[in-house]
Amino acid sequence: MSNAPRLTALDALHRSLGATMTDFAGWDMPLRYGSERDEHIAVRTKAGLFDLSHMGEITVTGPQAADLLNYALVGNIGTVGVGRARYTMICQEDGGIVDDLIVYRLQEQEYMVVANAGNAQIVLDALTERAAGFDATVRDDRDAYALIAVQGPESPGILKSLTDADLDGLKYYAGLPGTVAGVPALIARTGYTGEDGFELFVEPQHAEKLWQALTDAGAPAGLVPCGLSCRDTLRLEAGMPLYGHELTTALTPFDAGLGRVVKFEKDGDFVGREALTAAAERAETAPPRKLVGLIAEGRRVPRAGMQVVVGGEVIGEVTSGAPSPTLGKPIAIAYVDATHAAPGTPGVGVDIRGTHEPYEVVALPFYKRQK
């Protein structure tokens, strides 16, 4: 197998726009086109355009597709209506998180599971293995789709000018088939930025035409192309977890403060049920470390893996950190001992190369858009 990174259908276009490219989960992806701060602010105030074609699409079809997904994942997928989507997770038998996912119910017996780029093969293998005994088919559709996202307050207006699909009737975490700029697309009202926006699943051969149409339609509204760098600062401000940082196989959904995604009330067994039942009970009696926000009092930026301290004692660890363009200060997400997790807890610092920099503990998210 070649170790060369995979290219999205928009690769030549990114290069023509002068993007700084980076290897991300085996894909060559745009990190930024110009200033990542400007790209971030454009999404918060106007609109940004993202190539997310590195995400992993897996289609599950058949009479027992819902039963398979209920068994393989922790959520109750059988209750997702056609045209709706749900955030969920796939766990190991021991309850450890394999990946967080969005599952779209496209038709009565057809679902699309969207996995993170770095985990797509692992999720595909797990679903294929867990499909044994179910009248359902698991199909790798990673090459069947390009994924373009338009995010930000101006995104509904921009998209409306290119489609006659009922965007006003499209709820958050829903998807409908439509045509955008003459291109057949699954139009989903989802995103990873904390803003309103849409993700458009299209055939790779149509990706460039769609990107260009969105670019032209969005120009008067201030839309700019955006790379992975500002996607990370946007999701960090919105308190959204990133696999490999806030979520890992060493943590259960209860450790990550996301126990709500585990649906014990659904019928039948599911992978990890026993371990997750125990994890839920543990979380009740002895709260695990809690995921909190940290805002710097100074200018030094915390990074993943740095220790959170109080009076010389280690009480947690930073999972993600970056300068926040919206707050104008460095911020971090960290797991800290429950006793120090309350907003305003005094004396909390981050050990940045031997210096304990003062930080304020706050509830997540750092940023919430005005509805």
Side-chain angles (χ1 to χ4, degrees):
M1 259 180 73
S2 150
N3 285 332
R6 299 177 67 175
L7 307 180
T8 78
L10 294 164
D11 184 73
L13 195 143
H14 297 315
R15 292 171 196 279
S16 75
L17 291 171
T20 301
M21 305 297 284
T22 187
D23 182 344
F24 182 81
W27 290 81
D28 222 1
M29 297 297 294
L31 189 63
R32 70 181 78 80
Y33 297 85
S35 148
E36 54 205 50
R37 188 176 175 278
D38 290 350
E39 290 171 25
H40 179 112
I41 289 166
V43 175
R44 285 276 178 259
T45 58
K46 296 173 183 134
L49 193 57
F50 296 82
D51 178 9
L52 306 180
S53 303
H54 60 311
M55 301 295 281
E57 296 86 7
I58 301 159
T59 305
V60 180
T61 56
Q64 290 190 301
D67 298 334
L68 160 59
L69 290 170
N70 268 353
Y71 168 71
L73 312 178
V74 300
N76 192 347
I77 307 306
T79 59
V80 178
V82 173
R84 298 308 302 263
R86 185 158 296 165
Y87 177 78
T88 186
M89 294 182 184
I90 180 167
C91 289
Q92 298 177 151
E93 200 64 70
D94 67 2
I97 302 166
V98 175
D99 200 12
D100 61 336
L101 311 164
I102 295 180
V103 179
Y104 295 89
R105 189 171 198 166
L106 303 180
Q107 293 173 45
E108 198 58 42
Q109 297 186 4
E110 181 182 356
Y111 295 82
M112 180 167 68
V113 177
V114 182
N116 285 299
N119 294 330
Q121 188 64 48
I122 297 164
V123 173
L124 177 69
D125 291 346
L127 286 175
T128 304
E129 188 184 313
R130 293 174 189 188
F134 288 94
D135 186 0
T137 305
V138 176
R139 186 175 74 228
D140 180 1
D141 269 348
R142 282 176 289 178
D143 292 335
Y145 292 103
L147 178 55
I148 294 173
V150 53
Q151 298 277 305
E154 298 288 345
S155 58
I158 293 166
L159 198 56
K160 267 183 199 170
S161 70
L162 298 173
T163 183
D164 54 8
D166 177 19
L167 297 186
D168 291 334
L170 187 64
K171 296 184 170 74
Y172 187 51
Y173 266 73
L176 87 169
T179 304
V180 182
V183 171
L186 171 67
I187 305 167
R189 198 165 206 155
T190 45
Y192 193 53
T193 59
E195 297 300 333
D196 191 9
F198 303 87
E199 296 186 328
L200 307 169
F201 296 85
V202 299
E203 289 179 33
Q205 76 244 31
H206 298 317
E208 216 166 291
K209 179 186 174 184
L210 180 57
W211 179 281
Q212 205 50 59
L214 287 162
T215 298
D216 296 344
L223 173 127
V224 299
C226 293
L228 291 178
S229 189
C230 83
R231 183 169 150 88
D232 192 49
T233 51
L234 288 159
R235 71 94 196 165
L236 181 57
E237 286 184 351
M240 294 174 167
L242 175 64
Y243 195 86
H245 289 255
E246 287 73 41
L247 310 174
T248 70
T249 50
L251 298 169
T252 73
F254 294 94
D255 297 323
L258 290 164
R260 64 178 184 278
V261 305
V262 182
K263 302 299 181 192
F264 293 115
E265 70 276 12
K266 64 181 173 177
D267 293 337
D269 194 19
F270 62 90
V271 177
R273 182 189 271 272
E274 201 177 317
L276 289 168
T277 302
E281 287 166 4
R282 275 200 310 276
E284 286 289 310
T285 53
R289 282 186 162 179
K290 281 207 163 91
L291 205 53
V292 300
L294 298 173
I295 300 178
E297 289 179 21
R299 308 301 313 162
R300 295 182 76 184
V301 178
R303 297 295 179 196
M306 289 181 172
Q307 293 179 333
V308 182
V309 290
V310 168
E313 179 198 353
V314 176
I315 56 136
E317 186 176 304
V318 171
T319 52
S320 297
S324 163
T326 304
L327 302 186
K329 296 175 179 179
I331 59 171
I333 297 179
Y335 280 111
V336 302
D337 295 344
T339 48
H340 297 284
T345 298
V348 174
V350 175
D351 185 340
I352 301 182
R353 294 179 200 87
T355 308
H356 292 184
E357 299 285 339
Y359 274 74
E360 182 192 354
V361 178
V362 298
L364 292 170
F366 298 97
Y367 166 85
K368 221 175 190 162
R369 72 183 171 98
Q370 303 302 307
K371 299 281 187 207

